[in-house]
Amino acid sequence: MQNWLSELEHSFEPVEGSARERGDQLAGILAESLNRRPVLCDLTSAQAAVLEHNVSAKAAIEHKIATLRAFQGLAGLFLRYLPELGTQDAFRLVGLTTLAISAAWPHGRPPETLLAAYASDPALAPMRADFTDLVRQSVQVTISGLLVRSENGPLGAGPLDAAHRRPCTSRR
């Protein structure tokens, strides 16, 4: 993760344009850089489902502290591109990008049986997922949604009460 952050630090140059244009460019940079890091993607996709179920509490704490630091660093990089996100939504973007990686990586690496199925029936072609495209599109849509909603609440907080900036207790 640290090596990836270092690579991104050097890839993130100031750009001109609307928030949407800058967000689309950011999504492309992220997707391309992740595609070049298969081990990071393997670990990210296995983290919640496998790795975190097979460690001690001490190891989990150490891992989560390191992950939190990495997430904060990545959120800081996101803010350089899109300062209008705000700190909480930049952190939320990191979490949602991680979820996109976790889902897109295994889908973008189908087993031989699925590759054969796709090759044998052209009607199935739309079912074949491309990792880079999935991540890029997911991050683009997430950025657009965060900018429009601009709730800037904590990751995983549910709908926010705009007047008090806290999770709502009732559905609107």
Side-chain angles (χ1 to χ4, degrees), residues 15-162:
V15 295
E16 299 291 321
S18 68
R20 179 178 178 167
E21 291 166 336
R22 288 179 281 122
D24 286 354
Q25 186 172 2
L26 172 63
I29 291 169
L30 287 172
E32 292 294 331
S33 70
L34 286 162
N35 194 47
R36 291 189 302 271
R37 296 193 168 274
V39 174
L40 177 61
C41 294
D42 277 339
L43 291 171
T44 300
S45 67
Q47 181 178 322
V50 178
L51 300 176
E52 291 179 353
H53 290 267
N54 296 302
V55 296
S56 68
K58 181 181 182 228
I61 290 168
E62 290 172 5
H63 168 70
K64 287 299 184 181
I65 289 171
T67 301
L68 176 62
R69 286 188 190 124
F71 275 28
Q72 289 167 334
L74 191 52
L77 290 175
F78 289 174
L79 284 170
R80 283 181 27 202
Y81 245 70
L82 291 163
E84 50 273 80
L85 275 178
T87 304
Q88 291 294 326
D89 276 350
F91 194 83
R92 184 180 283 176
L93 177 59
V94 173
L96 295 170
T97 299
T98 301
L99 289 174
I101 297 164
S102 297
W105 185 250
H107 287 282
R109 302 284 185 270
E112 290 299 320
T113 54
L114 279 182
L115 291 174
Y118 296 144
S120 71
D121 187 346
L124 297 176
M127 298 299 297
R128 180 152 185 204
D130 178 81
F131 171 77
T132 306
D133 286 341
L134 282 173
V135 171
R136 181 184 46 77
Q137 291 173 20
S138 296
V139 173
Q140 285 173 334
V141 169
T142 300
I143 288 170
S144 294
L146 289 170
L147 289 171
V148 169
R149 295 176 66 104
S150 67
E151 291 174 345
N152 207 22
L155 180 65
L160 297 180
D161 176 332

